[in-house]
C-alpha cells in the first residue's frame, strides 16, 4: 500500500519538525511505503529551511515544493498534482499536528479487508504541548466507539465527517476533485462532503489517532477573525451549503438525512456567543439576504434534526425561529415543559467544595407553584440557590433569555457528602434529574485523562 501525505505550511517553524517526524516514525515502513510532500505556502520564517533539510535527508521519500502564498487550498491542490502515480491513498496533515505512529499500519490492515475510498483516524485536541499536555477527544469521536469499521452515511446520518486533518482519500477517486481555491472557509469540508456523497461510505480507524495542536490564544484569534469576514456569511451559504443540497439531490434524488444533519450541525456555529459578529459585519440589507438564504436552506432540514443537536436550547430555538419566520427575526422560545429541561455541570476543584450546577435551558421567570429542586445526600438535604440572569442574554442582539429569568440552580457539597440525588418536585410529581457519585465521577475523569495520555504515549508522540 502506497501512501502520500501532504503538509502545506506557512510560518510553521515551531512545530513543523514534530509533524514531519510523526510521519517518518510510522511503523508501516516510511522508506518503503510513504511519500511526504511539504508545500511551503510563501513562508517568511525558517520553516522552509527546516523542510528543505528533511528533503535533503530523505530525497526518495520527501519532496519540498515552494509556492507563492495562495492559501491551503492551492497548496493542497499542488500537492495532489505532484504525488507519484502509483499512490493508493493521499492523506493530509496540518503543519502543527501529529499522527500516531501506527496510523498507516492500521489503515493498511483495514484496507486488506475493506473496500472504502476514505479513512479517518480518531481525533484528539492537544493543548499546551511540552508543558501541561492536556488531551481531549473531539465530540464526533463517538463514531469510533465500536472500533475499526465501515460507516455508511445513509444508515448513520449523524456520523458526519468534514475536517481534512488526518483524512486519507483514495487517489484514484480524488483525481476527480479539487479544493475550491476561491473559498477561504470550509474548502476542506466542501471537498470531503462531495467526495462522501459519491462514495457513500468511509472507514473509521479507532486504534490510531490524529492530534490537533490547539494553541488557544493564537488559533482562537484566527477562528474569531474568520467570523469577521464577509465571505463567512452569504457567499458561504451559496458556495458551501447550497452545493451540498444540489449534489445530494443529483445523486440521491433528495436531500438525505446525512446532509441535513451536517448542515444543522455546522450552521449552529452562526449563533454561538464567540461568533456573534453578524450585525457588526453585515448591513441591514445584507442581514436580510443572509437570514432569508439561511431560511431556505433550513427548510430542507427536518425540525427533529435540529432538535437532536448537541447544542444549547437557545441555539435550536433561534434556528427554528429563522426557519419559521425568516426576516425580520422573530425569536420564539420553546414551550415550557412540566419538568424543567436542565444541563448538569459538576465542578471539582482542588481545595474547594464540590458544586453541582443545573443550567436551566428554558426561558423560565419562576418555577411553578410549589415546584422546586431537591438534592438529597446520605446525611441530609442540600440547600438550593437559584441564580437569575443579571442581564439579557442575546444572539445577534436579539433577546433570547430576558433578565431575571432563571439561569441555574446550585448545590454545594460538604467534603463528606459523596453521593447526591437531585430531583424536581411539584405538588403532583417527583422526577429524578440526576444521581451523582462524586468519587466515581472524579475517578472516571482521571481514568479518561490517563487513558488519553496512554494512547498518546503508545502512539510514539510523547
Amino acid at each position: 500500500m502506497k501512501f502520500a501525505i501532504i503538509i502545506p505550511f506557512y510560518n510553521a517553524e515551531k512545530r513543523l519538525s514534530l509533524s514531519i517526524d510523526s510521519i517518518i516514525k510510522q511503523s508501516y515502513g516510511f522508506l518503503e511505503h510513504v511519500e511526504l510532500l511539504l508545500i511551503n505556502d510563501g513562508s517568511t520564517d525558517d520553516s522552509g529551511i527546516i523542510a528543505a533539510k528533511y528533503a535533503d535527508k530523505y530525497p526518495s521519500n520527501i519532496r519540498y515544493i515552494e509556492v507563492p502564498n495562495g492559501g491551503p487550498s492551492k497548496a493542497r491542490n499542488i500537492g495532489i498534482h505532484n504525488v507519484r502515480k502509483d499512490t493508493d491513498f493521499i492523506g493530509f496533515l496540518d503543519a502543527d499536528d501529529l499522527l500516531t505512529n501506527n496510523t498507516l499500519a492500521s489503515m493498511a490492515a483495514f484496507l486488506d479487508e475493506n473496500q472504502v475510498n476514505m479513512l479517518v483516524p480518531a481525533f484528539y485536541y492537544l493543548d499546551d504541548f511540552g508543558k501541561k499536555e492536556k488531551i481531549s477527544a473531539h465530540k464526533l469521536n463517538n463514531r469510533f466507539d465500536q472500533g475499526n469499521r465501515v460507516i455508511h452515511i445513509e444508515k448513520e446520518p449523524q456520523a458526519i465527517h468534514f475536517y481534512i486533518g488526518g483524512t486519507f482519500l483514495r487517489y484514484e477517486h480524488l483525481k476527480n476533485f479539487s479544493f475550491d481555491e476561491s473559498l477561504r472557509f470550509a474548502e476542506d469540508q466542501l471537498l470531503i462532503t462531495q467526495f462522501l456523497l459519491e462514495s457513500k461510505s468511509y472507514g473509521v480507524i479507532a486504534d490510531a489517532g490524529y492530534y490537533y495542536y490547539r494553541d488557544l490564544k493564537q488559533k482562537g484569534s484566527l477562528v474569531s477573525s474568520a467570523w469577521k469576514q464577509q465571505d463567512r456569511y452569504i457567499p458561504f451559504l451559496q458556495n458551501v451549503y447550497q452545493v451540498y443540497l444540489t449534489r445530494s439531490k443529483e445523486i440521491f434524488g433528495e436531500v438525505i438525512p446525512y446532509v441535513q444533519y451536517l448542515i444543522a450541525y455546522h450552521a449552529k456555529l452562526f449563533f454561538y456567543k464567540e461568533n456573534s459578529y453578524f450585525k457588526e459585519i453585515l448591513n441591514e440589507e445584507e442581514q436580510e439576504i443572509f437570514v432569508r438564504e439561511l431560511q431556505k436552506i433550513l427548510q430542507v432540514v427536518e425540525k427533529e434534526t435540529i432538535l437532536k443537536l448537541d447544542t444549547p436550547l437557545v441555539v435550536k430555538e433561534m434556528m427554528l425561529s429563522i426557519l419559521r419566520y425568516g426576516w425580520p427575526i422573530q425569536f420564539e422560545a420553546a414551550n415550557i415543559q412540566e419538568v424543567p429541561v436542565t444541563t448538569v455541570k459538576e465542578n471539582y476543584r482542588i481545595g474547594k467544595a464540590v458544586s453541582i450546577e443545573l443550567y436551566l435551558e428554558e426561558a423560565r421567570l419562576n418555577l411553578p407553584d410549589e415546584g422546586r429542586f431537591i438534592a438529597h445526600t446520605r446525611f441530609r438535604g442540600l440547600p438550593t440557590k437559584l441564580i437569575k440572569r443579571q442581564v439579557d442574554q442575546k444572539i445577534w442582539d436579539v433577546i433570547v433569555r430576558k433578565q431575571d429569568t432563571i439561569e441555574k440552580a446550585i448545590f454545594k457539597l460538604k467534603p463528606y457528602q459523596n453521593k447526591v440525588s437531585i430531583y424536581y418536585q411539584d405538588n403532583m410529581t417527583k422526577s429524578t434529574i440526576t444521581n451523582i457519585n462524586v468519587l466515581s465521577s472524579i475517578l472516571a475523569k482521571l481514568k479518561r485523562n490517563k487513558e488519553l495520555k496512554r494512547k498518546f504515549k503508545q502512539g510514539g508522540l510523547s
Side-chain angles (χ1 to χ4, degrees), residues 6 76 80 90-94 164-167 169 174 179 210:
I6 297 170
R76 290 185 186 120
I80 294 170
I90 296 179
F92 298 89
L93 187 69
D94 285 348
I164 196 64
T167 300
L169 304 168
L174 186 57
F179 293 93
Y210 178 87

Side-chain angles (χ1 to χ4, degrees), residues 96-275:
D96 50 4
D97 301 336
L98 308 166
L99 287 176
T100 52
N101 65 9
N102 67 324
T103 300
L104 299 185
S106 293
M107 289 183 173
F110 184 84
L111 291 168
D112 284 340
E113 299 180 0
N114 301 279
Q115 178 67 26
V116 293
N117 295 327
M118 187 173 92
L119 292 167
V120 181
F123 187 101
Y124 302 95
Y125 295 108
L126 180 63
D127 299 333
D128 301 316
F129 184 81
K131 295 179 182 178
K132 234 172 168 181
E133 211 176 89
K134 179 182 176 183
I135 302 170
S136 55
H138 193 281
K139 278 189 174 182
L140 294 175
N141 271 13
N142 56 3
R143 295 173 290 166
F144 302 90
D145 291 346
Q146 299 175 45
N148 298 353
R149 65 192 182 96
V150 176
I151 288 177
H152 298 273
I153 64 173
E154 293 175 90
K155 296 178 181 178
E156 296 185 57
Q158 294 187 19
I160 56 174
H161 184 74
F162 53 82
Y163 51 81
I164 196 64
T167 300
F168 284 72
L169 304 168
R170 190 179 292 277
Y171 176 45
E172 193 60 35
H173 290 263
L174 186 57
K175 290 177 182 178
N176 301 319
F177 299 86
S178 63
F179 293 93
D180 189 334
E181 296 177 15
S182 69
L183 294 180
R184 289 191 288 175
F185 316 104
E187 75 288 339
D188 55 343
Q189 69 163 276
L190 178 60
L191 181 143
I192 288 171
T193 301
Q194 293 184 90
F195 189 95
L196 260 183
L197 289 177
E198 291 198 8
S199 296
K200 301 181 178 61
S201 65
Y202 67 101
V204 290
I205 310 299
D207 57 8
Y210 178 87
Y211 287 82
Y212 174 86
Y213 176 66
R214 186 164 54 175
D215 181 333
L216 295 179
K217 185 176 181 180
Q218 180 182 359
K219 287 194 174 179
S221 64
L222 290 173
V223 170
S224 177
S225 65
W227 291 93
K228 297 178 183 179
Q229 304 295 323
Q230 286 269 348
D231 290 354
R232 194 65 180 80
Y233 297 90
I234 300 168
F236 184 88
L237 300 184
Q238 297 169 338
N239 298 325
V240 180
Y241 291 167
Q242 284 291 357
V243 175
Y244 297 168
L245 303 181
T246 299
R247 289 300 293 140
S248 181
K249 291 174 184 176
E250 290 172 351
I251 295 171
F252 299 94
E254 61 177 348
V255 179
I256 60 172
Y258 177 91
V259 171
Q260 293 183 38
Y261 188 79
L262 174 63
I263 289 176
Y265 183 95
H266 196 267
K268 68 183 182 182
L269 299 176
F270 283 109
F271 310 103
Y272 280 15
K273 181 180 179 181
E274 59 268 28
N275 305 332

Side-chain angles (χ1 to χ4, degrees), residues 9-11 39-45 47 65-71:
F9 64 89
Y10 173 78
N11 290 353
I39 315 298
N40 185 349
D41 187 27
S43 297
T44 57
D45 66 357
S47 50
I65 301 173
E66 291 185 353
V67 297
N69 181 256

